[in-house]
Amino acid sequence: GTKFRHDVLPSVSPIATSQRHSNLPDIAAILSRCVLIRSVVELWGAGTTIESCADSVQKFAQYNNKDKDIADNDNNGDFSSSSNSGSRSSASILAPHRTNSRSWKITVHTLGSKYSREEQNDMRHQFAFLRFDGPVKMECPDDEFILIREVALDDKGGPIYPRHSHGRVLISENEARPPVAAYFGRILGSGRNWRSDLERYSLKKRLYLGPTSMDAELSLVMTNLARVTSKSLAFDPFVGTGSILLSCGLRGARCVGTDIDIRVLRGQGKEEDVFSNFRQYHLPRPELIRSDNSLYHRHYRPQPPLYDAIVTDPPYGIRAGARKSGSKRDEVRAVAEEHRHDHIAQTRPYAVSDVMADLLDVSARALTMGGRLVYVIPSMTDFDEDTDLPRHDCLKLVYTCYQPLSAELGRRMVTMEKVADYDETKREAYMANVWINGPESAEKCANIRDRIIEAAKQKPGYEEKAALRREKRRATREAKKKAKRELQGTGDSISHA
């Protein structure tokens, strides 16, 4: 596969470089699965300023033109055609893009900063020596060139030295800072293959939704990390409304999902359930099973590892709490034999630390060798990946990707790969080693909702905002009751008439 380098760029950078020839079939193969890549660019030049980048591009043009006519011509700051076009070498890399018939445009991306149209045009004029002969076309041109001005970004993607204040006032000392780098090149392909479809797959378009449905972009990223393909058998042990499983299906995988909540599996009827979402996108019907993940080893017969990928968003108690089989009562009444065929067992709370431990244990059992587990775990600012992430002796940590959600809360997308066979006789040892620091590590994943509320209470004005929310909820309830009474009164009047 293609290797991309970040070592020559800032550690927090949206740009990666690859020393590879621009083979369009290879680029198309990369873009066919990409979700977050905006574009792949054939780099013509780079520098630490716009001016030095332009010099680099001019040297590139000179190197790729046997007659060197571009470098020798005067730069008059005009993008119009040149009368000396007949002296250009046919071997020039520019030649295919300088014919009268090819339309073109130059896009300016000023990452982390905003520039006016006039300022962007000034940047474009630095490259006037290229003299493209065809017409400028802003929509769907034959050739799109891009100028990227990069500045230093923080770990949340914002500029460390913003060009403007919140009041849109220019900060002169930050304006005087040079960019981290400037790049110019030709766009070979755009990462809009999946990005353009994200609106089509948006949760707003789904027939069946729930409060914990994963958004399309994030779930597609998870399937990439799990290496889900048309040859994969994918499994989601907390399938819910099937949003992640649907993304696996979009990758062509055969899909299996389980959940302990029979109501979410049944949905709201034939036209509003997990299957309806798969029908909506013309995908094969998934296999859905009501199952308790904490009892996976008892629900299924012993069998060889089955799944190529396990992709899931386990319940961690922020919007929906986890449940497992069992009763809160000390004494449980046996279910009569005649009712057992369709009996739905009672459930009780399922600690988040146990959810994570069981998820890793099931993955170690059920994944084929080299198969991957990808899951999402919430965390507060005191979370330490080295000591607080759950581990398993049969699984190797491959990646963690952090997404900040607020000043206190974020979530990590964790990718693990199976590297050792599961030994049933070592199950107790496996489970004992899940949390490196024992209960202290497990507690970092538990009670997230309570910790968020406690953190919110420390902020100024919390009580006032909480009172406003309570009043808004009360008013909403009253409005619903009033509408219901009016509807009933209308129905009584019609019946009386």
Side-chain angles (χ1 to χ4, degrees), residues 46-241:
T48 55
T49 64
I50 301 293
E51 292 76 16
S52 63
C53 177
D55 291 340
S56 176
V57 173
Q58 194 159 18
K59 291 176 182 177
F60 173 82
Q62 178 180 350
Y63 179 80
N64 285 280
N65 191 319
K66 291 181 180 179
D67 296 323
K68 301 182 177 59
D69 63 301
I70 296 176
D72 295 335
N73 279 321
D74 292 333
N75 179 5
N76 59 8
D78 186 6
F79 278 95
S80 61
S81 302
S82 170
S83 60
N84 296 327
S85 60
S87 64
R88 298 170 196 146
S89 168
S90 60
S92 170
I93 195 171
L94 302 179
H97 313 295
R98 300 176 69 186
T99 63
N100 292 328
S101 60
R102 291 192 70 81
S103 59
W104 61 278
K105 75 171 181 177
I106 296 179
T107 299
V108 177
H109 278 180
T110 54
L111 303 180
S113 304
K114 289 188 177 181
Y115 285 81
S116 68
R117 182 176 299 179
E118 292 73 18
E119 289 171 321
Q120 291 185 28
N121 282 337
D122 289 341
M123 296 180 192
R124 290 186 177 96
H125 275 79
Q126 296 289 331
F127 301 86
F129 56 84
L130 291 172
R131 300 189 325 277
F132 299 118
D133 294 342
V136 174
K137 186 178 179 182
M138 301 309 293
E139 295 291 333
C140 302
D142 295 320
D143 294 315
E144 181 177 358
F145 302 91
I146 187 168
L147 170 61
I148 301 173
R149 184 186 187 277
E150 184 182 10
V151 298
L153 304 176
D154 59 27
D155 57 2
K156 295 182 180 179
I160 296 176
Y161 306 106
R163 188 171 187 241
H164 295 94
S165 66
H166 292 298
R168 301 297 301 146
V169 177
L170 186 69
I171 303 174
S172 56
E173 57 268 31
N174 291 351
E175 169 67 5
R177 289 179 176 272
V180 171
Y183 310 90
F184 185 90
R186 180 172 65 95
I187 293 181
L188 300 178
S190 172
R192 302 295 177 180
N193 301 47
W194 280 99
R195 292 187 68 84
S196 60
D197 284 336
L198 287 179
E199 182 60 28
R200 177 187 171 204
Y201 302 134
S202 168
L203 295 182
K204 296 181 292 185
K205 304 292 181 67
R206 305 275 177 91
L207 297 176
Y208 182 48
L209 279 179
T212 59
S213 296
M214 179 72 74
D215 70 85
E217 182 175 82
L218 193 58
S219 58
L220 285 168
V221 171
M222 293 175 74
T223 62
N224 272 347
L225 291 172
R227 300 189 296 201
V228 176
T229 70
S230 58
K231 298 180 180 179
S232 301
L233 180 59
F235 175 49
D236 184 351
F238 303 100
V239 68
T241 58

Side-chain angles (χ1 to χ4, degrees), residues 399-413:
Y399 306 115
T400 59
C401 307
Y402 180 69
Q403 179 188 26
L405 301 176
S406 68
E408 299 85 14
L409 177 68
R411 58 183 176 184
R412 284 171 168 80
M413 191 184 302

Side-chain angles (χ1 to χ4, degrees), residues 318-461:
I318 295 179
R319 286 183 290 179
R323 310 286 295 181
K324 65 179 180 179
S325 299
S327 174
K328 297 178 182 178
R329 300 176 181 176
D330 295 331
E331 295 183 8
V332 182
R333 185 175 57 186
V335 179
E337 187 66 34
E338 61 271 21
H339 298 311
R340 290 193 175 189
H341 69 287
D342 60 355
H343 173 69
I344 303 298
Q346 297 181 61
T347 62
R348 55 179 175 148
Y350 190 8
V352 176
S353 56
D354 293 338
V355 171
M356 304 310 303
D358 289 335
L359 172 62
L360 267 61
D361 190 66
V362 168
S363 301
R365 288 173 178 271
L367 280 173
T368 57
M369 190 61 67
R372 287 191 171 184
L373 162 68
V374 180
Y375 69 91
V376 175
I377 185 171
S379 56
M380 304 293 281
T381 52
D382 60 348
F383 191 91
D384 185 343
E385 288 185 1
D386 294 331
T387 58
D388 297 331
L389 273 179
R391 312 283 173 150
H392 197 284
D393 296 344
C394 298
L395 303 174
K396 175 184 71 173
L397 180 65
V398 182
Y399 306 115
T400 59
C401 307
Y402 180 69
Q403 179 188 26
L405 301 176
S406 68
E408 299 85 14
L409 177 68
R411 58 183 176 184
R412 284 171 168 80
M413 191 184 302
V414 183
T415 303
M416 305 185 80
E417 186 173 308
K418 184 170 180 178
V419 294
D421 290 322
Y422 188 89
D423 185 346
E424 183 65 45
T425 63
K426 297 181 179 179
R427 183 172 187 270
E428 289 188 9
Y430 291 150
M431 300 299 280
N433 295 333
V434 168
W435 302 103
I436 293 178
N437 291 334
E440 181 182 345
S441 293
E443 183 63 26
K444 297 287 185 67
C445 302
N447 305 318
I448 293 291
R449 181 183 175 86
D450 294 338
R451 296 180 67 189
I452 293 173
I453 294 174
E454 286 301 317
K457 288 181 178 179
Q458 306 305 316
K459 295 181 178 180

